[in-house]
Amino acid sequence: MDEIVAYIIEFLLYGNKEAAKQVGYTADPTKWSRYKVCIQPNGHLGKDWVLPDLSLPILEQDIIYNTAFFISRAEELINSQRDEHGRFLAEHSLLGQGNRLMIPLIDEYSRVLMKALDLPLPQPKWETINLTHDIDILTQYRHLRGALGGIRRGHAKEVIAAWKNIYHDPAYTFEWLMEQDWQVVKQHPQTKMIYFVKHTPGKGYDYPQYNLRGKDFRHLAHYLTEHGALLGWHSSYYEQLSTSKLDGFSKLSTLNSKLNRCHFLNCSIDKMQALVAAGVTDDYTMGFADKAGFRLQTTRPVRWINPITFELTNLVLHPLTIMDCTLQNEQYMNLSEEEAFYYCQQLIDKVKQYNGELTLLWHNHIMQDHYHQTLYKEILRFITTA
């Protein structure tokens, strides 16, 4: 438990180890004089999780417990509500009320603690920008079921064109995406471009599967890596991760099995335990499917605390700031282009304000939709001019 407390204090202080020595976490008044700032425990850390009382002023809250609660996703242990995909949604969460997803509470804790220690606050900037793309569908028509479906819908000419030339397939938008993303890379060299690749049986919600040894994917993998992109693992909707699966995945191409995003953003505590056991080091799943915002209540990457074992793991959770379909889908936020852009601006500004990591998720196949193509270009333009 001491390791967790020490890690959280340093995290709140943006890694300042010397300043962390001036912060105590104890209810013993005889020890308070040892520290410049002392936080009194609420008595729950390491025991039974309870919901934080966010009605209290920050200075009266156990900000160590609250931070552990949110970054461990302990709320998902004590609340059994899930959607049809087994996902914990914003509507189930304490955070789904009001505008709480718009304000990274843990980063607010950092500001209060740093001010109490007379430390300068970090200058506003994006520490890292992650432009990420899940390759759920490599091509729309260059597989049998997709081609037959296109023909039935009256798109025979488009199907034939796609079979003749992959660049005519409507889902194959990778060159367009690369062109847009490189505008940000030029302006912000700390930007990472990450494509998450499926390697699943291709059934049910994992459909369609594409052949990672096939010509189409090998051509794409070469193109992406030649242009500076990373290729990570897009883990199955159904299957549990294992070390052997990741080893097999990493041998297929220039694929990085240490980077993961769960398909459908379906990342339960069980799956995170499996990620740790399989040796995954970085996960990019942590956003709510139904509402964009700060699921972890921080804009910064943070090591996951297992809420069952109270272990500080080596798995780094990268907060997912915005996902494309969250904004538009009727069952989620159902925003117009204009409304979505304004909402995204607010979140992006918050990440910059707290010196955080901005992570966007746009799917390649969705870029054939004018809404998302226009919105994505506008968001990237905003980032490069802000």
Side-chain angles (χ1 to χ4, degrees):
M1 194 56 58
D2 289 345
E3 182 186 23
I4 289 175
V5 171
Y7 173 75
I8 289 174
I9 292 172
E10 284 188 22
F11 178 79
L12 291 173
L13 296 174
Y14 284 78
N16 190 327
K17 295 181 183 294
E18 287 303 311
K21 296 175 183 177
Q22 302 177 56
V23 180
Y25 185 60
T26 177
D28 185 349
T30 65
K31 296 179 180 178
W32 292 349
S33 61
R34 303 176 187 177
Y35 306 102
K36 187 170 183 177
V37 173
C38 199
I39 301 163
Q40 295 192 50
N42 64 11
H44 292 291
L45 188 60
K47 299 180 181 178
D48 293 330
W49 294 101
V50 297
L51 287 174
D53 184 355
L54 301 182
S55 65
L56 295 170
I58 288 179
L59 291 175
E60 295 179 22
Q61 295 178 30
D62 180 351
I63 64 174
I64 305 299
Y65 173 82
N66 289 8
T67 299
F69 182 87
F70 289 120
I71 64 177
S72 69
R73 301 309 306 140
E75 182 180 24
E76 299 175 33
L77 278 182
I78 61 178
N79 185 337
S80 61
Q81 294 182 87
R82 299 293 186 272
D83 73 352
E84 67 272 23
H85 301 292
R87 299 177 301 189
F88 187 77
L89 300 179
E91 68 175 69
H92 305 147
S93 173
L94 173 68
L95 305 174
Q97 303 170 20
N99 68 340
R100 282 179 176 160
L101 274 181
M102 299 289 292
I103 302 170
L105 185 60
I106 292 173
D107 295 339
E108 285 288 320
Y109 293 159
S110 291
R111 285 178 168 255
V112 170
L113 187 56
M114 293 176 81
K115 286 179 179 178
L117 292 168
D118 298 318
L119 296 173
L121 299 179
Q123 291 300 304
K125 67 172 183 176
W126 298 294
E127 185 64 27
T128 305
I129 299 172
N130 298 315
L131 303 177
T132 72
H133 308 286
D134 293 356
I135 309 179
D136 293 349
I137 300 172
L138 179 62
T139 59
Q140 187 165 326
Y141 295 139
R142 286 170 67 88
H143 53 94
L144 184 59
R145 183 170 159 185
L148 293 175
I151 292 170
R152 280 197 301 270
R153 294 190 299 272
H155 302 305
K157 288 183 179 180
E158 291 87 345
V159 171
I160 293 169
W163 275 87
K164 288 181 177 180
N165 188 333
I166 193 171
Y167 294 101
H168 293 157
D169 190 283
Y172 203 84
T173 60
F174 300 102
E175 289 198 346
W176 184 88
L177 278 171
M178 187 63 69
E179 181 182 348
Q180 309 311 312
D181 290 353
W182 258 97
Q183 301 306 311
V184 180
V185 175
K186 290 174 186 175
Q187 189 78 20
H188 300 281
Q190 79 279 23
T191 300
K192 295 179 181 177
M193 299 177 291
I194 310 174
Y195 287 76
F196 290 98
V197 178
K198 289 196 303 183
H199 181 47
T200 64
K203 298 178 181 179
Y205 288 111
D206 281 335
Y207 173 83
Q209 182 51 44
Y210 37 89
N211 183 4
L212 299 190
R213 292 188 174 89
K215 181 181 177 181
D216 286 353
F217 181 77
R218 287 189 290 108
H219 171 77
L220 174 63
H222 176 75
Y223 171 78
L224 294 177
T225 53
E226 282 288 299
H227 286 79
L230 301 171
L231 303 183
W233 169 275
H234 196 30
S235 53
S236 170
Y237 179 95
Y238 303 100
E239 292 186 327
Q240 197 64 278
L241 284 167
S242 69
T243 305
S244 61
K245 287 178 184 174
L246 292 179
D247 286 344
F249 175 81
S250 61
K251 291 174 183 176
L252 287 170
S253 185
T254 52
L255 306 176
N256 189 334
S257 61
K258 301 298 183 183
L259 312 180
N260 175 74
R261 176 176 287 132
C262 297
H263 193 30
F264 269 68
L265 300 190
N266 192 355
C267 195
S268 63
I269 289 171
D270 286 344
K271 282 194 175 182
M272 285 194 278
Q273 289 179 313
L275 290 175
V276 173
V280 173
T281 59
D282 295 83
D283 180 78
Y284 292 79
T285 311
M286 276 297 118
F288 288 119
D290 59 326
K291 192 172 183 180
F294 304 111
R295 181 175 181 175
L296 293 171
Q297 287 294 275
T298 179
T299 62
R300 293 173 283 150
V302 63
R303 288 171 65 184
W304 180 53
I305 298 169
N306 186 322
I308 299 172
T309 64
F310 291 95
E311 173 194 4
L312 178 63
T313 73
N314 290 323
L315 177 64
V316 176
L317 303 180
H318 297 262
L320 173 57
T321 319
I322 305 163
M323 179 174 71
D324 48 17
C325 53
T326 299
L327 303 169
Q328 184 190 32
N329 284 19
E330 290 182 3
Q331 69 268 36
Y332 297 151
M333 297 183 73
N334 194 25
L335 300 177
S336 69
E337 255 182 68
E338 185 177 353
E339 291 169 334
F341 181 55
Y342 177 69
Y343 191 89
C344 291
Q345 280 180 305
Q346 294 181 80
L347 291 176
I348 292 167
D349 280 338
K350 283 290 183 186
V351 176
K352 185 175 185 179
Q353 176 185 346
Y354 293 105
N355 196 199
E357 179 178 277
L358 175 65
T359 299
L360 307 181
L361 163 54
W362 254 258
H363 297 78
N364 60 288
H365 70 277
I366 215 168
M367 287 304 185
Q368 56 189 293
D369 185 315
H370 181 268
Y371 175 109
H372 286 293
Q373 189 175 109
T374 304
L375 179 59
Y376 191 64
K377 287 177 70 173
E378 283 298 302
I379 288 172
L380 297 192
R381 183 196 58 78
F382 176 70
I383 293 170
T384 55
T385 58

